[in-house]
Amino acid sequence: MKSSILKWIRIVRPGTLGAGTAPVFVGLIIAAEERTFDWIIALVTLLAALTIQIASNLINDYYDFKKGLDKAGRLGPKRAIAEGEVSPQTMKKAIIIDIAIAVLCGMYLTLVGGLPILMIGCVSLLCAWLYTATPYSLSYLGIADLFVLAFFGPIATLGTTYLQIEQFSEKAFWLGMVSGLISMGILTINNIRDIDSDKKAGKRSIVVRFGKKFGEWEYFSLFMLIIPCLYLANSAGLCYAVVAMGIGLFIQLRKAKGKAYNQLLIRTGQANLLFAFLLWIEYLIS
């Protein structure tokens, strides 16, 4: 039983879940500044974000295997079906259970927030499916980056804040952009690492289209774009440390080879959690 639980914890890719939770934390911090906060709504929002992120990961595992992109011994982290840890049928059941939980959370949040939240939830689940599942999936067309920016950024923070204070916030938009830009950085490293296998599989990511060097400088540009976002959000200053972290990661990225990309991917995800933590410290200080 214990080994099975640990196996599924690894399969859902815990290292990636910060991309889904960080913008929710950011939205909750902004709501707290307005002296309006409901813990039940906050916890359900967090669970909804987690289940949608996990759904995207499991769907990706299933369909990348079906398309022949994921194989045993891949350069990136192991994939459950490719390594023979679970069958495709078992993965499909896990996807259905996870989506069912996400839908239940969404139904409750829709009762709280109405039509805007229903639209955000439906489109988020649709994008989690379209990311890999169809012949014209977002990741294979090379346009996934924009959806990652939006749904792991301002859409998540705006929706979270709206559920708490019943209005959209300009500050939530700009701070959400910070989370989205960092999440785009995670995807960029993933695409740089997998450039050769993606080419063979016909996956036309931005890095496949324009090359590894372009991807490296794209990563640098994403962290530089955080600066005007923080300025427009009137950040007190602590959060700019995330930009410094990004520059350090960029220097490492230019020298990275092989499995070193996996560590950089994890550390970029940690940058998103660091941003949320620093924003919380700013809130406490103010």
Side-chain angles (χ1 to χ4, degrees):
M1 179 68 176
K2 182 179 179 181
S3 61
S4 179
I5 292 173
L6 292 174
K7 178 180 73 175
W8 278 101
I9 288 175
R10 188 187 64 74
I11 288 172
V12 302
R13 309 181 199 174
T16 69
L17 300 184
T21 56
V24 172
F25 286 129
V26 169
L28 292 175
I29 292 167
I30 295 168
E33 291 177 350
E34 300 294 329
R35 303 295 188 269
T36 304
F37 199 87
D38 186 303
W39 279 101
I40 295 177
I41 295 173
L43 290 172
V44 176
T45 305
L46 184 61
L47 181 58
L50 279 171
T51 50
I52 292 172
Q53 171 76 64
I54 290 171
S56 178
N57 289 346
L58 298 182
I59 291 168
N60 176 254
D61 195 310
Y62 180 83
Y63 281 98
D64 273 358
F65 172 78
K66 297 284 282 187
K67 294 177 181 181
L69 186 61
D70 284 346
K71 297 180 174 64
R74 68 191 294 271
L75 184 60
K78 293 180 180 180
R79 295 291 178 255
I81 302 177
E83 298 291 339
E85 292 183 295
V86 298
S87 67
Q89 292 74 22
T90 300
M91 185 62 78
K92 285 177 74 173
K93 291 178 182 177
I95 291 169
I96 291 170
I97 292 170
D98 180 81
I99 290 177
I101 297 171
V103 169
L104 288 173
C105 291
M107 290 171 65
Y108 171 76
L109 295 176
T110 298
L111 291 174
V112 174
L115 183 60
I117 300 304
L118 176 63
M119 292 175 62
I120 289 173
C122 289
V123 176
S124 295
L125 277 173
L126 180 63
C127 286
W129 181 263
L130 292 177
Y131 184 80
T132 312
T134 72
Y136 305 102
S137 60
L138 304 177
S139 61
Y140 281 75
L141 293 174
I143 57 174
D145 304 67
L146 296 177
F147 287 86
V148 167
L149 172 64
F151 285 94
F152 292 99
I155 290 178
T157 52
L158 285 168
T160 300
T161 306
Y162 182 85
L163 281 164
Q164 295 286 340
I165 66 175
E166 299 183 347
Q167 64 183 19
F168 292 110
S169 161
E170 182 180 352
K171 185 173 184 178
F173 174 83
W174 290 115
L175 292 179
M177 283 293 293
V178 175
S179 287
L181 289 165
I182 297 172
S183 291
M184 271 187 72
I186 297 173
L187 181 59
T188 301
I189 291 180
N190 184 81
N191 291 339
I192 292 172
R193 182 197 63 205
D194 295 343
I195 185 171
D196 293 331
S197 60
D198 285 351
K199 284 179 180 178
K200 292 177 183 177
K203 186 176 179 180
R204 294 182 56 78
S205 67
I206 288 179
V207 177
V208 168
R209 291 173 184 268
F210 299 106
K212 179 182 174 183
K213 291 293 182 184
F214 181 92
E216 292 172 352
W217 285 102
E218 177 193 4
Y219 183 86
F220 176 80
S221 300
L222 294 173
F223 276 92
M224 291 301 101
L225 286 171
I226 290 174
I227 296 173
C229 291
L230 290 175
Y231 174 79
L232 290 168
N234 295 315
S235 171
L238 284 178
C239 292
Y240 287 94
V242 174
V243 178
M245 181 178 179
I247 293 171
L249 292 173
F250 167 70
I251 293 170
Q252 295 175 49
L253 176 61
R254 300 201 70 192
K255 301 175 183 178
K257 293 181 181 179
K259 292 186 179 296
Y261 288 118
N262 295 335
Q263 283 301 312
L264 286 172
L265 191 149
I266 291 170
R267 292 196 63 198
T268 304
Q270 290 171 344
N272 225 337
L273 294 175
L274 173 64
F275 165 59
F277 175 74
L278 292 174
L279 188 66
W280 178 63
I281 296 298
E282 285 189 3
Y283 162 69
L284 293 178
I285 292 173
S286 63

